[in-house]
Amino acid sequence: MQRLLDELGRLPGIGPKSAQRIAYYLLESDAERARRLADAILDVKQQVHFCPVCFSYATGDTCNVCADSSRDQTIVCVVSEPRDVSAVERTGAYHGLYHVLGGVISPMDKIGPEQLHVKELLTRLASGEVQEVILATNTDVEGEATATYLSRTIKPLGVRVTRFAVGMSVGGEVELADELSLGRAIEDRREL
């Protein structure tokens, strides 16, 4: 039981209480339910790998997005992690390709451009087919530093570089917005 609690507690976002609740749930479940969970974990570890083109998750030779010829091949959305691809896809508003960096530049963690998939991105851009790169990293310090670095690296290649607009959330109230979000909303305003 302690081994199960220890392993569950190593999962992100699972503290001791949550680990205990999950462990008791599994103990009270029938063996078939526990077996299905174990099989699902093993299957995903055996069958899912990184796409050799964009570095998102894939089960085939490439991921579903890279394999889809109907996607706009002239736009690449650069994200930090594979889970960011899912978030953008859920919007239904983007129909181009992706490139997953595998993290962000973080000098404190000794992560520079060399530890990310920047070289592979530049190789993709060298083909000349890509006309726009959308930088969709987080708006925290590391995400902004990564976006700034990429922008300075990509612009000399003659590729348009854009960034997701940030600022006021839909349904947000001006008086309750923090200064940074409100400032960004003013900077990124658009004509109606």
Side-chain angles (χ1 to χ4, degrees), residues 9-78:
R10 287 185 177 92
L11 296 172
I14 304 294
K17 293 274 188 197
S18 294
Q20 193 173 44
R21 278 193 297 275
I22 295 168
Y24 286 134
Y25 170 81
L26 292 171
L27 278 173
E28 293 169 8
S29 299
D30 60 19
E32 183 55 32
R33 182 170 290 191
R35 189 175 354 278
R36 284 194 312 265
L37 175 62
D39 288 345
I41 292 169
L42 289 173
D43 285 350
V44 78
K45 290 305 291 176
Q46 292 170 355
Q47 296 174 18
V48 178
H49 58 88
F50 290 111
C51 174
V53 177
C54 72
F55 301 96
S56 186
Y57 295 129
T59 54
D61 292 336
T62 60
C63 71
N64 292 340
V65 173
C66 289
D68 184 352
S69 61
S70 70
R71 304 287 297 215
D72 185 345
Q73 308 288 308
T74 65
I75 303 174
V76 173
C77 181
V78 177

Side-chain angles (χ1 to χ4, degrees), residues 91-185:
T91 69
Y94 179 70
H95 306 288
L97 302 176
Y98 293 93
H99 188 85
V100 179
L101 295 172
V104 289
I105 295 172
S106 177
M108 295 281 290
D109 298 320
K110 298 181 180 158
I111 299 173
E114 307 79 28
Q115 284 75 42
L116 305 175
H117 297 292
V118 174
K119 182 175 70 173
E120 294 86 347
L121 173 62
L122 298 176
T123 301
R124 287 180 76 182
L125 299 179
S127 73
E129 189 173 358
V130 176
Q131 297 171 8
E132 179 181 359
V133 170
I134 302 171
L135 301 176
T137 55
N138 291 339
T139 57
D140 56 13
V141 174
E142 292 87 0
E144 290 291 335
T146 303
T148 300
Y149 171 81
L150 290 173
S151 177
R152 290 180 181 161
T153 304
I154 295 168
K155 278 184 180 178
L157 302 176
V159 176
R160 179 177 181 220
V161 179
T162 59
R163 184 108 165 97
F164 279 175
V166 294
M168 293 290 298
S169 61
V170 174
E173 297 181 31
V174 173
E175 70 176 283
L176 300 178
D178 65 274
E179 292 83 10
L180 182 59
S181 295
L182 194 54
R184 286 288 181 89

